[in-house]
Amino acid sequence: MNQLQAAFYEGNQRIRIGACTPVPPGASEVQIRVSYCGICGTDLHVFHGAMDHRVHIPQVLGHEMSGTVVTAGASVQSFAPGDRVTVRPLAPCGHCPACHAGHSHICHNLKFIGIDAPGALQSLWTVPVHTLHRLPESLSLEQGALVEPIAVACHDVRLGGVASGEYVVVLGGGPIGLLVALVTRSRGARVVVSEVNPFRIKLAREFGLDVVNPLETDLVQKIMDETGTAGADVVFEVSGSAAGAEMLTKIPRTRGRIVVVAIFSQPPKIDLFRFFWRELQLRGARVYEPEDFEAAIALAASGSLPLDRIVTAIQPLEALAEAMHELEGGGPVMKILVRCAES
Amino acid sequence: MNQLQAAFYEGNQRIRIGACTPVPPGASEVQIRVSYCGICGTDLHVFHGAMDHRVHIPQVLGHEMSGTVVTAGASVQSFAPGDRVTVRPLAPCGHCPACHAGHSHICHNLKFIGIDAPGALQSLWTVPVHTLHRLPESLSLEQGALVEPIAVACHDVRLGGVASGEYVVVLGGGPIGLLVALVTRSRGARVVVSEVNPFRIKLAREFGLDVVNPLETDLVQKIMDETGTAGADVVFEVSGSAAGAEMLTKIPRTRGRIVVVAIFSQPPKIDLFRFFWRELQLRGARVYEPEDFEAAIALAASGSLPLDRIVTAIQPLEALAEAMHELEGGGPVMKILVRCAES
């Protein structure tokens, strides 16, 4: 029998690998053997202590995962041991105004599993059954761990209303920006990615994406040239940078749509005059709804996304802290998966 | 015969009253005897020299008007001398990407008649026939001069998607904010106006509107109390103030809609994190489309708006400069009409 392990965040960039304490599933819960868990930008924020007010140290992080059901609670009918699954890690309260309005994914009291509750970076993980989505046989468990970030991208693209034939710009070519661009392309739209990191630029170009380094190329001019001076139909702000906040009003067409995906920890200056002048539209997009997970699974299973190449490394649980530092280094890395238990 | 007069802006807060030079209408134009012309915030901007790059000094200003057709051009079939009309003062180019996209009201090369071309503050005014809207007999010419700003409000409320029963906040209770609130109420929505000017507060309250002075009352708390902590369905930013820019992200519900109506000459700081967190939506709204003029005329003719009380003074053309100073004084004034010719 393999040893059951867990990675505990213990504050201030400290990760301790220790024994996983399996939690017996309640009536509406399942226990999952976690195969892979991806590392997300949010995990990096937690690692650096920026979210210590939300986590409970020692805290198991992680929410981009794949695994297999080990035990199902007494009331669980829709899933059984052996089922390959991923988890939509949201636990809404069910009774706040957002939940009543049908926006439970952004519930006023939302618990994000992996931040506000123990996460997937452990061998055995117990979660409510309502969070599960089944992985088809055609999807490997490695690929299944990418469903969560693909669902983010599917949500963003859906809220952006991207239609076939539209001209779309993605500001920022990290994992989410890249997936937004790939999902956009899968919808039949023309997409341009703006990114400054050389490795990210190279990788995105290998995927056949049109990538511009705005420090070298005049992005506004390129877009105006390619749209007959109309501007872009849709702009996704995934960089979280002041440069992105400034760019986002310069490039959309009249009534163009802007989707804010990135987290801006400080309010940037925004050209509201341009919103008025061009009747621009902006909306924020956060996490996902169940249909976005289903769309992500279908898209991943279609084989049309270069998922295996987005994963630039698979590391053992013991290498978690090292992997986190690597992700921050700006080097040749896109998505790192962590192996949590033997499949 | 009455003397034909015009008010000429001559730069730096100078207005000269001189002779109106009637322009014979071209084939698709009409000449109108202007009865009344309201003074708009944009006219004040021009008066102060802020738009000297657009006007051609000496420039006749004015675009909120009512009048009667005097002469119709050779090709004009839909209007005849004696018709009571107002003008939608937009001259789009017809061939730019915005025009092709069906957004000719925000054409890339839009000429705004009254800024980029001679305006209505004169006895006889010649305009393209496509700008005309007929005024019904039930609407006085004084009221007819309010159709243009009411159309702005109808456009804003339409783009905000205001529905019956919704909770709406209007930040700013000047002429446009007040009209947005009144149009919102006419759509069956609950509306709260935020305003600091005592006269504007008093007038809006006399119209039965719920008005809050945010310097005295905690607006956020009031809205949360009244919406069961949900927040407002729709927020209109009509103040153009830094305080408004800060407030606009604090009060909407999840996926609440924000409409930017005001002109922000400097980009304010905007809390994009809140857009992400609550999936807020924002759109700019500028001028109007033909259907907004028709909606404004129908609403004005319904008699349900307190139009006669929104007009706080009617002045002769000679008093234009004085009226402009009065509008800036923060005193007991809402909308001033200028009498341009005898009806």
Side-chain angles (χ1 to χ4, degrees):
Chain A
M1 184 184 170
N2 295 312
Q3 198 186 349
L4 299 178
Q5 287 189 312
F8 297 95
Y9 165 68
E10 299 205 310
N12 191 24
Q13 303 188 52
R14 286 193 310 274
I15 299 284
R16 177 176 61 82
I17 305 301
C20 167
T21 305
V23 178
S28 300
E29 293 181 325
V30 296
Q31 191 183 65
I32 302 169
R33 189 195 312 116
V34 180
S35 296
Y36 297 99
C37 184
I39 304 172
C40 165
T42 305
D43 297 319
L44 295 176
H45 280 291
V46 176
F47 182 59
H48 279 273
M51 297 170 80
D52 280 358
H53 59 289
R54 284 178 61 183
V55 299
H56 296 277
I57 291 173
Q59 163 92 39
V60 180
L61 306 178
H63 58 272
E64 301 183 357
M65 57 71 68
S66 62
T68 306
V69 174
V70 175
T71 315
S75 309
V76 173
Q77 305 222 332
S78 45
F79 288 89
D83 285 350
R84 300 160 76 249
V85 296
T86 189
V87 164
R88 182 169 33 84
L90 306 182
C93 75
H95 51 70
C96 73
C99 286
H100 284 304
H103 310 150
S104 65
H105 69 295
I106 50 172
C107 163
H108 288 190
N109 312 304
L110 186 71
K111 289 195 176 180
F112 191 91
I113 305 174
I115 298 174
D116 306 299
L121 283 160
Q122 51 184 332
S123 304
L124 290 174
W125 189 35
T126 299
V127 295
V129 68
H130 71 73
T131 65
L132 296 192
H133 289 265
R134 205 177 299 277
L135 296 176
E137 286 303 319
S138 57
L139 210 52
S140 71
L141 286 164
E142 289 88 340
Q143 293 167 340
L146 294 176
V147 165
E148 196 266 2
I150 300 171
V152 169
C154 286
H155 185 69
D156 300 338
V157 171
R158 180 164 65 86
L159 266 55
V162 172
S164 179
E166 287 197 313
Y167 189 103
V168 177
V169 180
V170 180
L171 302 173
I176 295 295
L178 197 53
L179 288 171
V180 167
L182 292 169
V183 172
T184 292
R185 186 170 68 181
S186 80
R187 300 289 185 264
R190 157 106 169 82
V191 60
V192 176
V193 178
S194 173
E195 173 59 52
V196 296
N197 173 298
F199 175 75
R200 290 176 168 185
I201 291 173
K202 181 168 170 290
L203 191 64
R205 283 184 179 152
E206 287 173 14
F207 297 162
L209 291 167
D210 184 0
V211 189
V212 166
N213 183 339
L215 304 179
E216 295 171 357
T217 302
D218 186 331
L219 180 61
V220 177
Q221 191 61 52
K222 173 187 166 72
I223 293 165
M224 294 310 147
D225 287 348
E226 293 184 356
T227 61
T229 75
D233 295 297
V234 189
V235 177
F236 292 94
E237 201 329 280
V238 201
S239 76
S241 66
E246 192 179 339
M247 184 60 72
L248 61 76
T249 48
K250 289 185 176 171
I251 53 181
R253 65 163 168 80
T254 50
R255 293 196 177 167
R257 289 103 69 197
I258 301 159
V259 183
V260 173
V261 175
I263 293 179
F264 283 83
S265 53
Q266 296 297 322
K269 287 188 177 179
I270 296 292
D271 186 356
L272 287 190
F273 178 79
R274 186 79 171 177
F275 273 90
F276 160 82
W277 195 248
R278 286 215 153 187
E279 293 198 338
L280 302 180
Q281 307 182 68
L282 177 148
R283 63 189 299 178
R286 179 176 160 212
V287 296
Y288 24 63
E289 294 170 270
E291 69 187 283
D292 301 311
F293 256 69
E294 291 303 318
I297 290 169
L299 188 57
S302 74
S304 63
L305 302 184
L307 299 183
D308 294 341
R309 299 187 55 207
I310 289 173
V311 176
T312 49
I314 300 181
Q315 302 284 7
L317 200 57
E318 292 81 355
L320 178 58
E322 190 184 327
M324 286 192 168
H325 286 301
E326 196 181 345
L327 283 165
E328 297 168 331
V333 59
M334 183 59 72
K335 178 59 72 181
I336 297 178
L337 299 186
V338 176
R339 198 181 293 109
C340 297
E342 295 299 319
S343 306
Chain B
M1 184 182 166
N2 293 309
Q3 197 185 353
L4 299 179
Q5 287 189 314
F8 297 96
Y9 166 67
E10 300 205 308
N12 192 25
Q13 303 187 52
R14 288 195 308 275
I15 299 282
R16 177 176 62 81
I17 305 299
C20 168
T21 306
V23 177
S28 301
E29 293 182 325
V30 297
Q31 190 183 64
I32 302 169
R33 190 193 314 111
V34 181
S35 296
Y36 298 99
C37 183
I39 304 172
C40 165
T42 305
D43 296 319
L44 296 175
H45 280 292
V46 176
F47 182 59
H48 279 274
M51 297 169 81
D52 280 357
H53 57 294
R54 284 178 61 184
V55 299
H56 295 278
I57 292 173
Q59 163 92 41
V60 180
L61 305 178
H63 58 272
E64 300 183 356
M65 58 69 69
S66 62
T68 306
V69 174
V70 175
T71 314
S75 310
V76 173
Q77 307 222 331
S78 45
F79 289 88
D83 285 352
R84 299 160 77 252
V85 295
T86 187
V87 164
R88 182 167 35 80
L90 306 182
C93 75
H95 52 69
C96 74
C99 286
H100 284 304
H103 310 150
S104 65
H105 68 298
I106 49 172
C107 163
H108 288 191
N109 312 304
L110 187 70
K111 288 196 178 180
F112 191 90
I113 304 173
I115 300 174
D116 305 299
L121 284 160
Q122 52 183 332
S123 304
L124 290 174
W125 190 35
T126 299
V127 295
V129 69
H130 71 74
T131 65
L132 296 192
H133 289 264
R134 202 176 301 275
L135 297 176
E137 286 303 319
S138 57
L139 210 52
S140 71
L141 286 165
E142 288 88 341
Q143 293 167 340
L146 294 175
V147 165
E148 196 267 2
I150 299 170
V152 169
C154 286
H155 185 69
D156 299 339
V157 171
R158 180 164 66 86
L159 264 53
V162 171
S164 180
E166 287 197 312
Y167 189 102
V168 177
V169 180
V170 179
L171 301 173
I176 294 295
L178 196 54
L179 288 171
V180 167
L182 292 169
V183 172
T184 291
R185 186 170 69 181
S186 80
R187 301 286 184 265
R190 157 107 169 83
V191 60
V192 176
V193 177
S194 173
E195 173 58 53
V196 295
N197 175 299
F199 174 75
R200 290 175 169 187
I201 291 173
K202 180 168 171 289
L203 190 65
R205 284 186 179 147
E206 287 173 13
F207 296 162
L209 291 166
D210 183 1
V211 189
V212 167
N213 182 340
L215 304 179
E216 295 171 357
T217 301
D218 186 332
L219 180 62
V220 176
Q221 191 61 52
K222 173 186 167 72
I223 293 164
M224 294 309 146
D225 288 348
E226 293 185 354
T227 60
T229 75
D233 295 299
V234 188
V235 177
F236 292 94
E237 203 326 282
V238 201
S239 76
S241 67
E246 192 179 340
M247 182 61 72
L248 61 77
T249 48
K250 288 185 175 170
I251 52 180
R253 65 163 168 82
T254 50
R255 293 196 177 167
R257 287 104 69 199
I258 300 158
V259 182
V260 173
V261 175
I263 292 180
F264 284 83
S265 54
Q266 295 297 321
K269 287 187 176 180
I270 296 292
D271 187 356
L272 286 190
F273 178 80
R274 186 79 170 177
F275 273 90
F276 161 81
W277 195 249
R278 287 215 150 186
E279 293 196 337
L280 302 180
Q281 306 181 70
L282 177 148
R283 62 188 301 177
R286 180 177 160 211
V287 296
Y288 24 63
E289 293 169 271
E291 68 187 283
D292 302 310
F293 256 70
E294 290 303 317
I297 290 169
L299 188 57
S302 75
S304 63
L305 302 183
L307 299 184
D308 293 341
R309 299 189 53 209
I310 289 173
V311 176
T312 49
I314 300 180
Q315 303 283 7
L317 200 58
E318 290 81 356
L320 177 60
E322 190 184 329
M324 286 192 168
H325 286 300
E326 195 180 347
L327 283 166
E328 296 168 331
V333 58
M334 183 60 71
K335 177 59 72 182
I336 297 178
L337 299 187
V338 176
R339 197 180 294 109
C340 298
E342 295 301 318
S343 305

